[in-house]
Amino acid sequence: MKAFLKKCRSQKALLLMTMPFVIWVFIFKYFPVWGWTMAFQDFKPARPFSEQEWVGFKHFTFLFTDARFLGVLRNTLAQSIINLVLGFVTAIGLALLINELTNLKFKRVVQTISYLPHFLSWVVAAALVSSVLSIDGVINEILIGLHIIDEEILWLGIGEYFWGILGAAEVWKNVGWNTIIYLAAISMIDQEQFEAAKIDGASRLQRIRYITLPGMKQVIVILLIMNIGYIIEAGFEPQYLLGNGQNVEFSENIDVFVINYGISMFNFSLATAAGVFKTVISLIFLIAANSFSKKMGQGGLY
């Protein structure tokens, strides 16, 4: 204990710098956990806490036996897995390609163009996606011009296409931004290794395989563990904005379900129960992924 207090005194400047963040985390991340009690009540906003009716696991039972929620859970997992796989593969691939560019001006232009969609709000991005995929959109014109299809397709009106459209939209919007940390990881690799490999006659692909990717491995593992922890968090804005009555069976995920059948209908207890379910599942996935990574000798978050 004395050693701990001595270390705190020696690093008091760092502790003072972190205090605002710790306070923010407590207020916005831990204090609201008190609201989880609503999941075990038939919560009525006008009643004081002492007069709320406690119903135990009633709302959780409803979620797990409701056919619509099970379909929503399927959509959430499918969307998350698609986003996870496409996000990792495209971000790592783009980072490797950008790293191989030797013209610095062209490299900066590519990076800037790939970053730009990330700064668009999903309202604007969804409008662009909807326009491109409309009956008279550019996608239909290109496919008809190439004789791949014979007539226009209302892409967002066919539910089976929604997961692929969402995955492509997520990649277009976020791939450039996601490459930043991988490019940073690549920049930390000792450049003498690349020089030695060139002298030994290694090709670009061989340098990527035996130097770049192993040098990025720890960062990839950490990010993969963190993203697996969010596997039940498929997002809200793109699904809500691109979803419609024709594709609702494939577009509605847990967050949209909470809005439509929880908050909009003033069923706050049901919405809270769905949120608790998401948090518990995310925690389980995070712990499992971290434990598996450590057993495989790849390290972990803790």
Coordinates of all heavy atoms in Angstrom, one line a residue, residues 95 99 111 115 178-189 191 215-216 219:
A95 N -4.7 -0.8 -45.9 CA -3.5 -0.3 -45.2 C -2.2 -0.8 -45.8 O -1.2 -0.1 -46.0 CB -3.6 -0.7 -43.7
N99 N 0.5 1.4 -47.8 CA 1.9 1.4 -47.3 C 2.9 1.1 -48.4 O 4.1 1.5 -48.4 CB 2.0 0.3 -46.2 CG 3.4 0.2 -45.6 OD1 3.9 1.2 -45.0 ND2 4.1 -0.9 -45.8
Q111 N -5.2 8.5 -49.2 CA -5.6 8.5 -47.8 C -6.7 9.5 -47.5 O -7.7 9.1 -46.9 CB -4.4 8.8 -46.8 CG -3.4 7.6 -46.7 CD -2.3 8.0 -45.8 OE1 -1.4 8.8 -46.2 NE2 -2.3 7.5 -44.6
Y115 N -10.6 8.6 -46.3 CA -11.1 9.1 -45.0 C -12.4 9.9 -45.1 O -13.2 9.8 -44.2 CB -10.1 10.0 -44.4 CG -8.7 9.4 -44.0 CD1 -7.6 10.2 -43.7 CD2 -8.6 8.0 -43.9 CE1 -6.4 9.7 -43.4 CE2 -7.4 7.5 -43.6 CZ -6.3 8.3 -43.3 OH -5.1 7.8 -43.0
N178 N -10.6 3.3 -40.7 CA -10.2 2.1 -39.9 C -8.7 1.7 -40.3 O -8.1 1.0 -39.5 CB -11.0 0.9 -40.3 CG -12.4 1.0 -39.7 OD1 -12.7 1.8 -38.7 ND2 -13.4 0.3 -40.3
T179 N -8.2 2.2 -41.4 CA -6.8 1.9 -41.7 C -5.8 2.7 -40.9 O -4.6 2.3 -40.9 CB -6.5 2.3 -43.2 OG1 -6.8 3.7 -43.5 CG2 -7.4 1.4 -44.1
I180 N -6.2 3.8 -40.2 CA -5.3 4.7 -39.5 C -4.5 3.9 -38.5 O -3.2 4.0 -38.5 CB -6.0 5.8 -38.8 CG1 -6.7 6.7 -39.9 CG2 -5.1 6.6 -37.9 CD1 -7.5 7.9 -39.3
I181 N -5.1 3.1 -37.7 CA -4.4 2.4 -36.7 C -3.5 1.3 -37.3 O -2.4 1.0 -36.7 CB -5.3 1.8 -35.6 CG1 -4.5 1.4 -34.4 CG2 -6.1 0.6 -36.2 CD1 -5.4 1.1 -33.2
Y182 N -3.9 0.7 -38.4 CA -3.0 -0.3 -39.0 C -1.8 0.4 -39.7 O -0.7 -0.2 -39.6 CB -3.8 -1.1 -40.1 CG -4.9 -1.9 -39.5 CD1 -6.2 -1.6 -39.8 CD2 -4.7 -2.9 -38.6 CE1 -7.3 -2.3 -39.3 CE2 -5.7 -3.7 -38.1 CZ -7.0 -3.4 -38.4 OH -8.0 -4.1 -37.8
L183 N -2.0 1.5 -40.3 CA -0.8 2.3 -40.8 C 0.1 2.7 -39.7 O 1.4 2.7 -39.9 CB -1.3 3.5 -41.6 CG -2.0 3.2 -42.9 CD1 -2.6 4.5 -43.5 CD2 -1.0 2.6 -43.9
A184 N -0.4 3.0 -38.5 CA 0.4 3.4 -37.4 C 1.2 2.2 -36.9 O 2.4 2.3 -36.6 CB -0.4 3.9 -36.3
A185 N 0.6 1.0 -36.9 CA 1.3 -0.2 -36.5 C 2.4 -0.6 -37.5 O 3.5 -1.0 -37.1 CB 0.3 -1.4 -36.5
I186 N 2.1 -0.4 -38.8 CA 3.1 -0.6 -39.8 C 4.3 0.3 -39.7 O 5.5 -0.1 -39.8 CB 2.5 -0.5 -41.2 CG1 1.5 -1.6 -41.5 CG2 3.6 -0.5 -42.3 CD1 0.7 -1.5 -42.8
S187 N 4.0 1.6 -39.3 CA 5.1 2.6 -39.2 C 6.0 2.2 -38.0 O 7.2 2.7 -37.9 CB 4.5 4.0 -39.0 OG 3.9 4.1 -37.8
M188 N 5.6 1.4 -37.1 CA 6.4 1.0 -35.9 C 7.3 -0.1 -36.2 O 8.1 -0.5 -35.4 CB 5.4 0.7 -34.7 CG 4.6 1.8 -34.2 SD 5.6 3.2 -33.6 CE 6.3 2.5 -32.2
I189 N 7.1 -0.8 -37.3 CA 8.0 -1.9 -37.7 C 9.4 -1.4 -38.1 O 9.5 -0.4 -38.8 CB 7.4 -2.7 -38.8 CG1 6.0 -3.3 -38.4 CG2 8.3 -3.9 -39.2 CD1 5.3 -3.9 -39.6
Q191 N 12.3 -0.5 -40.0 CA 12.5 -0.5 -41.4 C 13.8 -1.2 -41.9 O 13.9 -1.6 -43.1 CB 12.7 1.0 -41.8 CG 11.4 1.8 -41.6 CD 10.2 1.3 -42.3 OE1 10.3 1.1 -43.5 NE2 9.1 1.0 -41.6
G215 N 4.3 -8.1 -38.0 CA 4.5 -6.9 -37.2 C 3.2 -6.2 -36.8 O 3.1 -5.5 -35.8
M216 N 2.1 -6.5 -37.6 CA 0.8 -6.0 -37.2 C 0.0 -6.9 -36.4 O -1.1 -6.5 -35.9 CB 0.0 -5.7 -38.5 CG 0.6 -4.7 -39.5 SD -0.2 -4.7 -41.1 CE -1.9 -4.3 -40.6
V219 N -1.6 -5.8 -32.9 CA -2.6 -4.8 -33.1 C -3.9 -5.5 -33.6 O -5.0 -5.1 -33.2 CB -2.2 -3.7 -34.0 CG1 -3.3 -2.7 -34.3 CG2 -1.0 -2.9 -33.3

